[in-house]
Amino acid sequence: MNISEAKKISIVDYLENMGYTHAKIRRGQYWYRSPLREEKTPSFVVNNNLHEWYDFGIAEGGDLIELGKRMYNTNDIHTVLTMIERDSNGLVKEKKTEVRPSYTSVEVEDDMIDLRVMPLRNYALTSYLQSRGVDIGIATTFCKEIHYTLRNKKPVGGINLS
């Protein structure tokens, strides 16, 4: 098996083949308890359309090759490919063509209420920007906070780069 062949394997099918069952599917994303660590609440998500995974608990993600590196605890690609081939157990090595749900910004914008643009002050946002090496003086000049309620859920805040 080579890298191209491995990347064609569905991560969802691969995980199921390994005995992992998704806990839920939300908007085309499959949520699992992480195969990389012990957890009680599913925080490992697979986007089967993009053939990518992300583990919120360790803030890492990638394709099947990256998952294999983490699962088999090695950076040796040959070993990873050998293990994927062994554990895929004859899975069809074709990317499935799935219909992607169409989420447009218009649909979301129509559901947003109580929209407010405010100066950048939120501690979580400013500390995140600082952790990324962004000068707060520059950030407050060019960024604004946007607060809104979406589909009757509690207000959401974010950054708008003006």
Side-chain angles (χ1 to χ4, degrees):
M1 173 177 291
N2 62 37
I3 291 173
S4 297
E5 292 170 336
K7 286 186 176 186
K8 291 178 183 177
I9 296 173
S10 160
I11 297 173
V12 170
D13 292 345
Y14 184 76
L15 289 171
E16 285 180 17
N17 206 48
M18 300 262 311
Y20 296 97
T21 306
H22 60 272
K24 63 184 173 183
I25 302 172
R26 183 166 290 147
R27 293 190 179 185
Q29 296 187 337
Y30 294 73
W31 289 82
Y32 296 83
R33 287 181 185 82
S34 179
L36 306 176
R37 57 194 172 75
E38 291 292 319
E39 70 175 349
K40 293 181 181 177
T41 304
S43 67
F44 183 93
V45 65
V46 175
N47 184 318
N48 210 35
N49 293 325
L50 298 177
H51 293 272
E52 293 179 351
W53 62 274
Y54 188 80
D55 190 329
F56 286 93
I58 58 174
E60 289 185 21
D63 58 18
L64 184 60
I65 304 296
E66 290 302 315
L67 180 59
K69 286 180 183 180
R70 294 286 303 177
M71 289 180 77
Y72 305 117
N73 199 26
T74 182
N75 284 322
D76 180 56
I77 298 296
H78 177 70
T79 301
V80 170
L81 292 173
T82 301
M83 300 300 278
I84 288 172
E85 184 171 28
R86 180 198 71 188
D87 292 338
S88 65
N89 200 22
L91 287 173
V92 176
K93 295 173 181 70
E94 281 184 33
K95 287 189 178 182
K96 294 181 179 178
T97 54
E98 296 183 23
V99 177
R100 289 187 186 189
S102 60
Y103 301 108
T104 64
S105 60
V106 174
E107 291 170 353
V108 172
E109 289 172 0
D110 288 344
D111 292 338
M112 292 170 63
I113 59 173
D114 192 25
L115 181 67
R116 293 172 284 139
V117 178
M118 305 168 59
L120 180 61
R121 291 192 187 122
N122 182 284
Y123 176 76
L125 297 174
T126 57
S127 64
Y128 171 76
L129 291 170
Q130 284 179 319
S131 76
R132 304 298 295 171
V134 177
D135 180 84
I136 292 304
I138 292 172
T140 55
T141 302
F142 294 100
C143 300
K144 304 285 185 221
E145 289 182 31
I146 299 176
H147 294 257
Y148 56 91
T149 302
L150 180 62
R151 299 184 184 112
N152 296 323
K153 293 187 179 172
K154 58 183 166 180
V156 178
I159 295 179
N160 175 24
L161 300 174
S162 35

